[in-house]
Amino acid sequence: MAINRDYLGRTFPESAPYEVSRVKIADFADAIGDPNPVFRDRAAAQAAGHADVIAPPTFAIVVSMTAGARAVADPGLGVNYAMGEQRFEYSRQLMAGDVVTAQATITDIRNAGRNVLLTTRTEIRTVDGEHVCTAHNTLVERGGAG
């Protein structure tokens, strides 16, 4: 099944609120092998000028993939991705105590040789509407062009 290009520009419903916790941040920092104390120790984070423990920059993938997965998993889209890349644009760091939502939009579907590249933009905001981060994810469907 080919990717349904009619989905280009489609925005999907906002995700349920996600609470960023110190434990989740520390677990993520452990998983990526980053020993920075601002990801684990509130006093270290405060000494660095933050109100609380902050999340590593790539932590936003945890939030954005929930929203993006709903877009990619939509059966009408017809995508079976193999790999991808990501980048993030921050207004401020995610930190312990944030409660955020994410909303994904499919921003590009294009052929690249025998592959199809599907790009999503996910806006991550606090439940009060403050922009925290925009995540850009590109998924590659190998052999999907045609």
Side-chain angles (χ1 to χ4, degrees):
M1 174 181 204
I3 291 179
N4 183 347
R5 293 175 189 276
D6 291 338
Y7 274 60
L8 182 60
R10 184 175 289 190
T11 298
F12 291 80
E14 189 173 78
S15 70
Y18 176 92
E19 184 171 350
V20 178
S21 74
R22 290 186 194 122
V23 170
K24 290 175 186 175
I25 292 170
D27 287 347
F28 187 86
D30 289 343
I32 65 171
D34 194 325
N36 192 330
V38 299
F39 304 145
R40 294 174 181 77
D41 182 322
R42 186 174 188 194
Q46 288 174 330
H50 305 287
D52 205 327
V53 169
I54 61 169
T58 53
F59 183 86
I61 195 66
V62 173
V63 181
S64 72
M65 285 307 292
T66 300
R70 286 196 314 209
V72 172
D74 187 307
L77 178 60
V79 68
N80 182 14
Y81 67 92
M83 55 193 260
E85 66 181 30
Q86 62 197 18
R87 70 182 170 85
F88 307 98
E89 298 170 359
Y90 279 91
S91 295
R92 68 163 177 82
Q93 288 290 137
L94 282 161
M95 73 176 66
D98 281 341
V99 179
V100 296
T101 61
Q103 188 168 38
T105 299
I106 296 174
T107 58
D108 193 28
I109 300 172
R110 65 184 168 91
N111 293 344
R114 293 186 42 85
N115 300 322
V116 177
L117 305 180
L118 175 104
T119 302
T120 61
R121 180 187 71 243
T122 304
E123 298 294 334
I124 300 171
R125 298 182 179 281
T126 66
V127 292
D128 295 328
E130 176 192 5
H131 180 267
V132 177
C133 178
T134 300
H136 302 271
N137 295 292
T138 300
L139 303 175
V140 178
E141 183 174 52
R142 294 184 187 160

